[in-house]
């Protein structure tokens, strides 16, 4: 199967495998957004797509720990490698799939600039922004079918973090391949999407000193298992 193909051995080496301060990229993906101090609950407006953490995390009791979170989000094209890999070494605390919508897209009145850094619209004021789902990724984190995996990182400066795999449009099959209580090493497979383009998020709790993310707007994919951020010791 093309979309769930596996990597060749050593095709994507794990970034600094013995350094737990380096966060590995969970998916072969293009950076979409980096948000700080995301609210536990927020509203979507006509032109804005704030992250609503409680909804993103499926109203799980652990979501309360992510009020004020740092959120990194990136996009997987239909041609991208679609398996997910653990961004940190640690233990799987909880893993589940939350059912969601199919083909739900907000109709932004353009220009819709401001909901993601680096994105611009060609639409005139009052016209519908026709870029559709490619700029609706923040909106879909709270509504689309999504896999939620909480990981207790071995690095105490990180502690509990979360991965969210977001199935966009027809991508409703989010397959988790790890179980609660399982230990994982950075770069280990944790699941996959089946078919089409998708998005994913990494969430870090407020106070975690995570930085060095790729700049939104860059065209190139960040390689899966490559370095995506760094956490400084607290």
């Amino acid at each position: 199967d093309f979309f769930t193909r596996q990597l060749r051995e050593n095709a994507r080496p794990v970034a600094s495998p013995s350094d737990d301060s380096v966060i590995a990229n969970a998916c072969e993906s293009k950076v979409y957004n980096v948000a700080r101090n995301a609210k536990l609950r927020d509203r979507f407006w006509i032109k804005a797509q704030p992250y609503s953490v409680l909804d993103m995390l499926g109203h799980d009791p652990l979501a309360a720990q992510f009020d004020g979170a740092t959120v990194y989000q990136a996009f997987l094209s239909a041609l991208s490698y679609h398996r997910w890999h653990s961004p940190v070494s640690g233990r799987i605390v909880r893993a589940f799939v939350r059912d969601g919508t199919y083909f739900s897209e907000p109709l932004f009145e353009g220009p819709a600039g401001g909901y993601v850094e680096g994105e611009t619209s060609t639409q005139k004021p009052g016209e519908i922004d026709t870029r559709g789902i490619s700029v609706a990724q923040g909106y879909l984190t709270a509504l689309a079918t999504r896999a939620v995996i909480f990981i207790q990182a071995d690095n105490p400066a990180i502690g509990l973090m979360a991965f969210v795999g977001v199935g966009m449009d027809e991508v409703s099959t989010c397959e988790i391949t790890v179980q609660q209580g399982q230990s994982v090493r950075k770069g280990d497979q944790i699941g996959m999407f089946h078919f089409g383009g998708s998005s994913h998020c990494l969430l870090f709790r407020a106070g975690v000193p995570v930085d060095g993310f790729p700049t939104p707007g860059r065209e190139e994919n960040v390689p899966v298992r490559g370095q995506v951020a760094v956490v400084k010791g607290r």
Side-chain angles (χ1 to χ4, degrees):
D1 185 277
F2 177 78
F3 291 101
T4 57
R5 65 196 185 280
Q6 298 191 45
L7 285 173
R8 294 194 305 272
E9 191 67 26
N10 300 321
R12 291 290 188 272
V14 178
S16 305
S18 60
D19 185 351
D20 285 342
S21 68
V22 174
I23 308 299
N25 195 25
C27 301
E28 186 91 6
S29 51
K30 175 184 175 182
V31 57
Y32 172 74
N33 196 22
V34 179
R36 306 281 184 177
N37 198 30
K39 294 180 181 179
L40 190 62
R41 200 79 195 274
D42 213 335
R43 293 183 178 183
F44 294 101
W45 299 94
I46 292 175
K47 293 184 182 180
Q49 294 183 58
Y51 292 106
S52 185
V53 171
L54 183 63
D55 296 290
M56 292 171 71
L57 299 178
H59 287 249
D60 189 271
L62 292 175
Q65 298 189 40
F66 290 84
D67 190 11
T70 295
V71 180
Y72 170 79
Q73 185 172 9
F75 173 71
L76 293 76
S77 76
L79 300 178
S80 294
Y81 170 79
H82 271 67
R83 292 177 184 251
W84 324 323
H85 293 261
S86 182
V88 297
S89 295
R91 177 176 55 85
I92 305 299
V93 177
R94 195 163 294 156
F96 60 90
V97 174
R98 178 66 70 229
D99 290 337
T101 60
Y102 296 84
F103 292 97
S104 178
E105 297 180 19
L107 295 177
F108 301 112
E109 289 188 11
Y115 50 80
V116 57
E117 182 180 346
E119 290 281 356
T120 57
S121 174
T122 59
Q123 305 306 119
K124 297 177 182 179
E127 291 183 342
I128 295 298
D129 192 321
T130 56
R131 293 174 298 165
I133 199 165
S134 67
V135 292
Q137 293 178 62
Y139 164 86
L140 290 172
T141 61
L143 293 173
T145 297
R146 56 206 179 276
V148 180
I149 302 176
F150 292 97
I151 306 172
Q152 182 69 35
D154 289 344
N155 184 346
I158 302 172
L160 187 67
M161 67 158 297
F163 165 90
V164 181
V166 184
M168 296 169 61
D169 276 359
E170 75 281 8
V171 189
S172 60
T173 304
C174 300
E175 180 184 353
I176 297 172
T177 58
V178 289
Q179 298 180 341
Q180 182 173 325
Q182 181 177 335
S183 293
V184 292
R185 299 299 302 169
K186 181 167 59 175
D188 285 355
Q189 180 181 297
I190 56 175
M192 70 191 79
F193 294 114
H194 289 260
F195 188 66
S198 322
S199 188
H200 83 285
C201 297
L202 301 179
L203 287 85
F204 300 88
R205 294 173 305 153
V208 174
V210 59
D211 214 339
F213 293 106
T215 303
R218 63 174 272 172
E219 289 300 319
E220 312 83 27
N221 277 347
V222 180
V224 65
R225 305 204 299 184
Q227 179 174 319
V228 76
V230 175
V231 172
K232 299 178 180 178
R234 289 194 287 185

